[in-house]
Amino acid sequence: MSAQGATLRSKQEIMERLSKPEVITGSEILLRSLVLEGAECVFGYPGGAVLYIYDAMHGFSDFNHLLTRHEQGAIHAADGYARASGKVGVCIATSGPGATNLVTGIATAFMDSVPLVVITGNVVQSAIGTDAFQEADIIGITMPITKHSYLVRDAAELPRIIHEAFHIANTGRKGPVLIDIPKDVSAATTMFQPVNEVSIRGYNPTVQPNLKQVDKMVKAIAEAERPVILAGGGVVYSGGHEGLLEFVTKTEIPVTTTLLGLGAFPSGHELWMGMPGMHGTFTANKAIQASDLLINIGARFDDRVTMKLQGFAPHAKIVHIDIDPAEIGKNVPTDIPIVGDIKTVLELANQSAKRADKADAWRAQVQQWKKDVPLSYVDSDAELKPQWVIEMIHETTKGEAIVTTDVGQHQMWAAQYYRFNQPRSWITSGGLGTMGFGFPSAIGAQMAQPDRTVVSINGDGGMQMCAQELAICSINNIPVKVAIINNQVLGMVRQWQEIIYDNRYSHIDLAGSPDFVKLAEAYGVKAFRASNKEEARTAWEAALQHDGPAVVEFVVRKGENVYPMVTQGNTIDEMILGDA
């Protein structure tokens, strides 16, 4: 029997064993149900209200549990796992402060449409509402930032609730689902009956689009002289990247991908224009503003893309394709709305899509913009430039790594200068902009894709928010490669204070940060420092060749800015292009 056949047989045997009806505790039901839903790695941190659950984990080997050093690290790792794998990420925390430490991660996943099942413990049901020790109304607290929530009242309901939670999290517009389990429920015993079907009244996401609307889009393409495709994270989440490439191949429409859409379309393609918006490319922003047809595929029209709404794409007929009907027309008036799964819509559109024949002059104009005003910066041999560092990381990983980032200048430089050729290779906090996200999300991504190189690009500010997770990389030999872009300052805040607040720098100095090499070594992680190009190449190559986790601190120029930049109150074609 082949190794693959043996693995399948082993999985089948596990499923048969765990599906056996018998009287067990609510905690055992939870663990079994997670495995039956396909959970392979769970991230968590124990505490009083979940001790029955963790007791049931003693000797339980049917999934891998990773003990993080902070609940925020656990949920960001689960988020990275979900984004890298396309599966549902799972995390567990205790009641009260354990649960509330998850709130930022829940909001992060909600804003970026990431499927998570978040399991929290609660005090016993008789104590709920009495301000018991470590009690918090986590369902009330998180109601605006979850797709759905459950307070489990009966252990017998756990199989149905868990099955529904995974279904809700990973269908329609994906997102986090919270399951709150009182301690007496996790301790109770009942007959376990697996649930394989799901029927939720009122929850039926639209997958199949209205064909008449798809036909309208195809006709609009035939009439357009300056069409543009704006592709967002929905293309990645739906698995629609191949359909998008086919659609572009047939129509020959120039493409721009949002921050979360990076990787949805190959960056090496001649029709790719880069990222749009506040720090978008000159070509992408000019093209959107000049377009007469803008086809939004799975993007939210968020404010960092549109900037000043009055004056955004002023000449364009707007097509908006999205699984979530609430997004269509929310920010930008839509002429041709198409509600449905992105992959399904593109498959149908590709049956009749044809070349935009009237757009030959437009394609030539786009190529001229790309040639005349590419992304650029003033390089230096005297000091290390962050843009050069990103280009070097791209070169040495051949663009094949999974890249996670924290939030700030380094995030924008990574988005601009690392070129992605496949989906689920770019993991970043887009909607919420959560500092501390980058490093733990890389741990989750590495657990999801153990055979791929995972690079975590961080600033010196965000790295300190979850640096304690270096411990689990060291203990478990998780080979994440961490690049710290250290400019000794809160860089994006400094840039805004320079440009918008007339150089009034207020509380941004991070010069008192730790020695990151010593910090990493204290956790048992290999670490290097570089302050010029030669040191940077040597240190980074050593990190890549090391078979475990490694940290490289790149000491870069403090005053470097991210360009292009559109300041608030301006339209996206009113760009500050920078020194270069």
Side-chain angles (χ1 to χ4, degrees):
M1 182 184 293
S2 68
Q4 184 179 7
T7 301
L8 291 173
R9 176 69 180 274
S10 176
K11 285 185 176 181
Q12 183 179 359
E13 290 173 349
I14 291 171
M15 295 302 182
E16 289 175 354
R17 171 170 55 82
L18 296 181
S19 298
K20 181 182 177 182
E22 58 181 314
V23 176
I24 55 177
T25 67
S27 297
E28 292 171 305
I29 290 173
L30 170 65
L31 302 190
R32 288 192 183 193
S33 298
L34 290 176
V35 176
L36 293 174
E37 294 298 332
E40 297 174 338
C41 186
V42 175
F43 306 86
Y45 202 95
V50 291
L51 282 184
Y52 284 114
I53 296 171
Y54 275 85
D55 184 57
M57 282 189 205
H58 185 74
F60 188 85
S61 59
D62 292 317
F63 63 64
N64 183 22
H65 177 276
L66 205 62
L67 173 64
T68 59
R69 295 301 183 263
H70 193 288
E71 290 90 354
Q72 186 167 338
I75 193 164
H76 289 331
D79 185 312
Y81 180 94
R83 298 195 205 210
S85 66
K87 300 177 182 178
V88 177
V90 182
C91 66
I92 301 177
T94 193
S95 63
T100 57
N101 278 342
L102 298 175
V103 170
T104 298
I106 295 172
T108 300
F110 184 77
M111 287 285 281
D112 288 351
S113 304
V114 179
L116 297 183
V117 168
V118 180
I119 299 162
T120 54
N122 206 334
V123 299
V124 296
Q125 293 184 76
S126 61
I128 291 177
T130 68
D131 293 332
F133 177 68
Q134 291 195 332
E135 181 191 359
D137 179 9
I138 193 61
I139 288 180
I141 291 168
T142 61
M143 190 169 289
I145 54 171
T146 52
K147 193 174 176 186
H148 193 62
S149 299
Y150 294 92
L151 174 61
V152 186
R153 296 287 191 178
D154 186 342
E157 292 292 301
L158 275 165
R160 174 189 61 82
I161 287 173
I162 294 164
H163 190 57
E164 287 182 2
F166 273 78
H167 174 73
I168 293 169
N170 210 26
T171 55
R173 180 174 181 175
K174 305 175 193 296
V177 176
L178 178 74
I179 303 176
D180 197 32
I181 307 176
K183 193 171 183 178
D184 55 319
V185 173
S186 61
T189 57
T190 189
M191 175 62 71
F192 170 54
Q193 294 284 357
V195 174
N196 298 313
E197 296 180 355
V198 61
S199 178
I200 306 171
R201 187 173 65 181
Y203 180 71
N204 187 25
T206 301
V207 175
Q208 295 290 334
N210 185 317
L211 292 178
K212 291 182 179 179
Q213 296 299 97
V214 177
D215 288 341
K216 286 181 182 179
M217 176 180 68
V218 172
K219 291 177 181 177
I221 291 170
E223 298 169 359
E225 296 181 357
R226 301 181 306 280
V228 167
I229 291 171
L230 172 68
V235 177
V236 176
Y237 299 152
S238 71
H241 55 284
E242 292 180 351
L244 176 60
L245 180 58
E246 181 182 350
F247 186 67
V248 174
T249 301
K250 288 185 173 182
T251 61
E252 296 185 24
I253 298 175
V255 182
T256 176
T257 45
T258 66
L259 181 68
L260 292 183
L262 293 173
F265 190 78
S267 61
H269 198 287
E270 65 176 356
L271 288 172
W272 186 65
M273 299 183 291
M275 182 177 70
M278 175 177 279
H279 295 294
T281 65
F282 178 88
T283 302
N285 285 353
K286 291 290 285 188
I288 287 174
Q289 291 301 89
S291 66
D292 63 357
L293 177 66
L294 180 59
I295 304 174
N296 179 332
I297 308 178
R300 294 188 294 114
F301 278 133
D302 71 283
D303 59 296
R304 288 296 175 97
V305 167
T306 64
M307 299 307 291
K308 184 180 178 181
L309 272 173
Q310 185 180 6
F312 174 75
H315 313 293
K317 176 181 287 188
I318 305 293
V319 178
H320 194 169
I321 307 169
D322 207 291
I323 190 73
D324 183 0
E327 286 297 338
I328 296 178
K330 184 177 81 174
N331 294 328
V332 174
T334 302
D335 300 289
I336 304 176
I338 303 176
V339 179
D341 173 65
I342 300 298
K343 182 178 180 181
T344 303
V345 173
L346 288 171
E347 286 172 351
L348 291 169
N350 283 329
Q351 294 176 11
S352 56
K354 295 180 181 178
R355 184 176 185 273
D357 285 334
K358 295 182 179 181
D360 285 338
W362 174 241
R363 281 181 278 265
Q365 173 65 78
V366 167
Q367 295 305 320
Q368 193 63 48
W369 280 331
K370 288 174 66 175
K371 180 181 178 181
D372 291 345
V373 194
L375 286 172
S376 59
Y377 62 96
V378 179
D379 200 3
S380 172
D381 291 324
E383 53 189 351
L384 200 56
K385 289 297 187 81
Q387 302 94 326
W388 182 91
V389 172
I390 303 300
E391 289 179 324
M392 185 267 295
I393 292 174
H394 174 268
E395 174 192 335
T396 52
T397 58
K398 299 180 174 61
E400 298 299 322
I402 295 175
V403 175
T404 79
T405 78
D406 213 87
V407 173
Q409 286 183 312
H410 71 276
Q411 177 191 31
M412 293 298 104
W413 285 317
Q416 291 175 334
Y417 290 97
Y418 196 98
R419 299 305 176 91
F420 299 92
N421 296 315
Q422 54 184 313
R424 301 196 181 279
S425 296
W426 168 250
I427 296 172
T428 195
S429 173
L432 198 65
T434 303
M435 289 182 68
F437 172 85
F439 177 44
S441 69
I443 295 170
Q446 189 74 81
M447 297 300 290
Q449 302 287 353
D451 297 328
R452 290 188 64 183
T453 298
V454 177
V455 177
S456 177
I457 301 175
N458 300 271
D460 48 319
M463 184 64 196
Q464 294 181 73
M465 293 192 175
C466 280
Q468 71 280 348
E469 305 308 336
L470 284 165
I472 63 172
C473 282
S474 177
I475 292 167
N476 299 283
N477 198 38
I478 301 171
V480 172
K481 312 305 178 187
V482 182
I484 301 173
I485 308 299
N486 186 358
N487 56 9
Q488 301 184 17
V489 71
L490 288 171
M492 191 60 84
V493 180
R494 186 208 57 75
Q495 178 169 336
W496 279 48
Q497 289 178 346
E498 174 191 328
I499 295 172
I500 302 172
Y501 295 90
D502 298 327
N503 297 300
R504 293 190 297 275
Y505 300 117
S506 178
H507 300 284
I508 55 171
D509 186 6
L510 295 180
S513 297
D515 182 321
F516 287 105
V517 172
K518 289 182 179 179
L519 180 65
E521 290 175 344
Y523 282 107
V525 174
K526 197 83 171 175
F528 310 87
R529 179 181 293 108
S531 56
N532 59 51
K533 289 181 177 180
E534 182 179 355
E535 291 176 351
R537 286 192 178 277
T538 301
W540 185 245
E541 287 289 354
L544 289 178
Q545 292 171 14
H546 181 58
D547 61 3
V551 171
V552 181
E553 178 188 2
F554 296 98
V555 181
V556 300
R557 179 175 181 267
K558 185 174 183 178
E560 197 71 12
N561 287 334
V562 180
Y563 294 118
M565 179 183 182
V566 180
T567 56
Q568 290 182 326
N570 291 314
T571 56
I572 59 172
D573 55 347
E574 296 177 302
M575 291 168 273
I576 303 171
L577 295 178
D579 300 333

